[in-house]
Amino acid sequence: IMDKIVAIHQPNFFPWLGYFNKIARCDCFVLLDNVQFSKKGGTYTNRVKILIGGKDSWITVPIKRDYHGVKYIKDIEINSDSPWQIKMMNTIKINYSKFPYYSEVINIIENLIAQATNSLSELNINSISKLCEIWGYKQKLILGSNLECSGNSTGLLISLTKAVNGTAYMCGGGAINYQDDLEFTKAGLNLIYQKFHHPTYSQNNHENFIPGLSIIDALFCCGFSETKKLIENYEKY
């Protein structure tokens, strides 16, 4: 019997290729919007790197940080005091207007960044959903906050996997630091390691390929159908 593979991740802001590779390879992808937003340091939920002036640099969604205690990702508000969407789109246009698939991609990216919402998770989830719809993955997505699950770290991942009737959990590269593999086995779940090998593509004559950038970079460089091939071009397990 084939495993029902579940992958789980916070709803990041225009995430990298490896994020979408997880979605492509699983049967169900839980967007974990009901965990604590990391208040210290940077987080991929509100920023990501693109090419700016030929270097990998951050673009950031400003958020309201004046809250006390802890907040879930789904409760984080965007700080719309400054016209961040206009600034971000100007940065993207200046740096990617000469890229091969600019005209194919720009309107979709612009519409997603220009969403009229104050919710960070809504902005991210709508963006991920739209790209997944284009590639045919949308039906795999499910919101963590729609599942009645609690617990922390490994326990939460196990209960989420079981809540969607999964039989296997797919973990990414950084998982070794925070999850307890034995717990999955005890819970009767198989573990699949993603082992994503980052493909290279032409970054518009940039001499050294820069990996780990936002999906935005791959789209302007390769277009929608070639980017889908990059996403799905993993070693079969």
Side-chain angles (χ1 to χ4, degrees):
I1 303 166
M2 293 287 285
D3 269 319
K4 180 176 180 182
I5 302 169
V6 178
I8 301 167
H9 211 292
Q10 291 98 328
N12 284 353
F13 179 67
F14 285 97
W16 70 306
L17 282 168
Y19 189 102
F20 289 96
N21 171 266
K22 246 188 192 180
I23 297 175
R25 289 171 60 185
C26 70
D27 300 299
C28 178
F29 188 87
V30 179
L31 289 155
L32 198 56
D33 59 340
N34 54 335
V35 287
Q36 194 177 326
F37 180 82
S38 169
K39 202 163 182 187
K40 292 196 177 96
T43 161
Y44 283 106
T45 28
N46 75 313
R47 62 177 201 165
V48 73
K49 284 184 171 181
I50 60 168
L51 284 180
I52 299 178
K55 295 188 171 68
D56 53 330
S57 306
W58 297 104
I59 49 171
T60 303
V61 181
I63 56 165
K64 293 187 176 172
R65 290 188 175 270
D66 54 356
Y67 62 90
H68 297 290
V70 298
K71 260 193 176 184
Y72 283 161
I73 291 170
K74 66 185 177 67
D75 301 319
I76 293 293
E77 287 180 74
I78 296 170
N79 183 353
S80 301
D81 292 348
S82 69
W84 69 271
Q85 290 153 306
I86 295 167
K87 284 185 192 160
M88 188 180 285
M89 279 315 306
N90 284 344
T91 300
I92 289 170
K93 287 173 179 175
I94 289 163
N95 286 282
Y96 285 99
S97 60
K98 305 251 184 333
F99 278 56
Y101 290 88
Y102 180 80
S103 57
E104 178 188 315
V105 173
I106 187 63
N107 288 348
I108 288 173
I109 300 297
E110 187 155 29
N111 288 340
L112 291 174
I113 287 174
Q115 288 174 61
T117 177
N118 288 324
S119 161
L120 179 65
S121 69
E122 197 175 301
L123 177 84
N124 293 352
I125 288 162
N126 290 344
S127 303
I128 291 165
S129 296
K130 178 62 185 172
L131 295 175
C132 284
E133 186 187 328
I134 291 167
W135 292 316
Y137 310 143
K138 191 179 175 181
Q139 73 288 353
K140 300 179 180 193
L141 304 179
I142 190 159
L143 282 186
S145 53
N146 289 343
L147 301 168
E148 295 289 318
C149 290
S150 57
N152 37 27
S153 60
T154 306
L156 179 62
L157 300 176
I158 289 168
S159 62
L160 287 164
T161 302
K162 294 201 155 184
V164 294
N165 302 315
T167 59
Y169 171 71
M170 178 181 286
C171 51
I176 223 145
N177 302 323
Y178 62 82
Q179 77 181 26
D180 185 346
D181 289 6
L182 265 175
E183 292 300 312
F184 287 95
T185 315
K186 281 185 200 160
L189 297 172
N190 291 325
L191 258 190
I192 294 169
Y193 280 89
Q194 183 187 11
K195 293 183 179 153
F196 179 64
H197 299 283
H198 202 305
T200 58
Y201 50 87
S202 169
Q203 280 170 328
N204 205 34
N205 308 322
H206 194 276
E207 42 193 86
N208 296 321
F209 179 76
I210 301 177
L213 299 182
S214 167
I215 194 73
I216 290 171
D217 184 74
L219 287 170
F220 282 125
C221 292
C222 309
F224 283 103
S225 63
E226 280 304 308
T227 298
K228 185 179 186 184
K229 288 180 191 164
L230 293 175
I231 288 166
E232 295 182 359
N233 183 18
Y234 50 85
E235 293 177 14
K236 299 286 185 207
Y237 50 89

